[in-house]
Amino acid sequence: MTFDHQVRDLSLAEAGRHQIRLAEHEMPGLMSLREEYAEAQPLAGARIAGSLHMTVQTAVLIETLTALGAEVRWASCNIYSTQDEAAAAIVVGQGTPEDPQGVPVFAWKGETLEEYWDCTNQILTWGQDASGEQVYANMILDDGGDATMLVHKGKEWEAAGQVPPTTEEDSEEFGVFKALVRRTLAEDPQKWTRVAAEIKGVTEETTTGVHRLYELARDGELLFPAINVNDSVTKSKFDNKYGCRHSLIDGLNRATDTLIGGKVAVVCGFGDVGKGCADSLRGQGARVIVTEIDPICALQAAMEGYQVATLEDVVESADIFITTTGCYDVIRTEHMVAMKDKAIVGNIGHFDNEIDMAGLAKVPGIIKTEIKPQVHEWTFAETGENGQPAGRSIIVLSEGRLLNLGNATGHPSFVMSNSFANQTIAQIELFTKPGEYSTDVYVLPKHLDEKVARLHLDALGVRLTELTKPQAQYLGVDVAGPYKPEHYRY
Ligand code: NAI
């Protein structure tokens, strides 16, 4: 097969390699899995299509998967999240920019939507083998579920004999997605049946993608087994929370350099991501207000000392707005026109529909000014309903896409080592034990979750207390774990 790839600039590879080397030091989970499985090569024969932010940390994941025997093709799961130097280093591998010998990556920072979906198609389509047979991926490693959706919708529309016409109701992105599926089916009318037949399973990284998987399973439409990596405790209670605690503030600072102390910041949603974001803003001295729809999370926010209000109550007075809900239409046009001058608006949830960017663009007379890439000022020509003056503006980050990866470089390595150790173990589970997983959605067993945590203790100098046998008997657990029942919530 030819070694195809599409990245910004292969001459960035050296810079990327230095960063990857330092990241490896901070990713003990992934590095010890490399050691543990070096001989066994459990992923030999796996052809993994990876759709996950192409960052330095992901580079360490990719090279862990290949160290375990897998072949890999990679795209980012967001048009702004690629670190071009990491992508270049992965493509170059042990070779040189003139003679790259690494892994095919299809990702660069600032893709168009057409390019994005084309890259997603590329990771599933592996070219022809020596005998001229078309080869496809046989595993998916997904973040947000776009690669999984392409296979599912592709097969559904293939069976229906056509891709439904694009309508006014479709978002711009869904229109582009339909056009891509139309093109692939014109090239090969049975493509998606063939791809779906190859895929042994998918491991899904994030809350939003997991939500899509459970919907497919509920409706009897899931095509292959899935592991919900997000709900490993060592993923969602660490990456979503402590990762965002680090990277939200990083994104805000790199984008605006506005002092956060003393400002009023609104965090929409107080789930795992919202908890990390609220903590992050409070740590900088912001006065944080939370909005929630769930009484339990609202009560948690109140107990943490945050004011809990509706967006409508505070929209005219707050300085910073962050959406973390995984829901849609959370900050709408009527909110944005009511905000005060130079309010900052950003989203850290997976998709860009938490903020109604399409509606904002349609406000009469609105002017969009690029301050720098992924930072835009939107100036209102008209007076607001409550007398907000014409000429006021708001600052929107990453066009409403996740700002921690658009305006900064996402989560730091150590926390991603936890998430990606879960991903690696989940890939091994689905690839090596096909008979044990039927077409449904699973979480990893607790002993593997505990293993991931254990792999990260030494690096932090943590000394764990060991249960004595009688103590273990008293608690009704094994000395070696698992230590908690499935229903325990941490
Ligand atoms: P979660 O389900 O734990 O939290 C979301 C919270 O938002 C829930 O408590 C829910 O009640 C609340 N919510 C829903 N609709 C709302 C609305 N209209 N107004 C106010 N609150 C509302 O989910 P989690 O894990 O916190 O993830 C949130 C989003 O962030 C997902 O899209 C996920 O995929 C994404 N994510 C992004 C990361 C990043 O690095 N940017 C990292 C991890 C997750």
Side-chain angles (χ1 to χ4, degrees), residues 379-452:
T379 306
F380 297 103
E382 296 182 358
T383 310
E385 246 178 46
N386 289 347
Q388 296 93 342
R392 74 197 178 286
S393 62
I394 59 170
I395 314 290
V396 181
L397 307 184
S398 287
E399 309 263 12
R401 293 169 192 275
L402 27 76
L403 75 96
N404 60 330
L405 282 134
N407 297 94
T409 49
H411 295 353
S413 302
F414 195 80
V415 87
M416 293 315 292
S417 178
N418 288 270
S419 308
F420 289 166
N422 281 297
Q423 276 287 3
T424 306
I425 291 171
Q427 285 282 322
I428 296 173
E429 281 289 304
L430 285 185
F431 185 70
T432 59
K433 300 176 184 165
E436 289 183 29
Y437 293 93
S438 58
T439 303
D440 209 340
V441 188
Y442 301 85
V443 285
L444 284 174
K446 199 166 283 295
H447 74 95
L448 293 177
D449 217 345
E450 288 177 359
K451 170 178 173 166
V452 171

Side-chain angles (χ1 to χ4, degrees), residues 53 206-209 230 235-236 239-240 244 247 268-274 291-294 297 324-328 330 348-351 354 402 404-405 411:
H53 311 288
T206 200
T207 318
T208 288
N230 183 69
K235 199 286 181 179
S236 48
D239 166 327
N240 303 24
C244 289
S247 61
C268 301
F270 198 70
D272 292 322
V273 170
T291 75
E292 250 299 345
I293 51 141
D294 179 333
C297 299
T324 78
T325 67
C327 186
Y328 91 110
V330 175
I348 197 167
H350 191 80
F351 285 123
E354 300 206 25
L402 27 76
N404 60 330
L405 282 134
H411 295 353

